[in-house]
């Protein structure tokens, strides 16, 4: 398997580019999630529960 990786004949550019794009994407997502407001996370996590309670009260 490693012999195939060594004999790419110019394909290293695509491998390195795809690896860098993969890493940059997940670094950006990680930074976004770490900077996300705790209040916003709590609000969004309770949203489905509040929606169910609202629907039950509207049906009554």
């Amino acid at each position: 398997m490693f012999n195939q990786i060594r004999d790419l004949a110019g394909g290293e550019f695509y491998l390195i580019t795809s690896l860098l794009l993969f890493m940059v994407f997940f670094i950006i997502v990680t930074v976004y999630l770490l900077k996300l407001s705790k209040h916003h996370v709590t609000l969004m996590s309770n949203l489905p529960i509040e929606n169910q309670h609202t629907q039950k009260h509207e049906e009554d």
Side-chain angles (χ1 to χ4, degrees):
M1 182 173 101
F2 293 112
N3 289 334
Q4 291 174 344
I5 293 174
R6 278 191 246 139
D7 298 330
L8 289 175
E12 302 91 6
F13 174 74
Y14 298 109
L15 287 175
I16 293 171
T17 304
S18 63
L19 178 64
L20 287 176
L21 285 174
F22 180 80
M23 289 176 57
V24 166
F25 173 76
F26 281 102
I27 288 171
I28 290 172
V29 169
T30 302
V31 169
Y32 173 75
L33 290 176
L34 290 175
K35 290 191 176 249
L36 199 60
S37 167
K38 302 299 179 194
H39 175 69
H40 180 71
V41 172
T42 306
L43 180 69
M44 290 295 129
S45 66
N46 290 331
L47 191 59
I49 297 170
E50 290 174 1
N51 192 15
Q52 288 175 357
H53 290 297
T54 306
Q55 287 177 355
K56 286 182 181 177
H57 290 292
E58 289 175 357
E59 290 173 0
D60 293 337

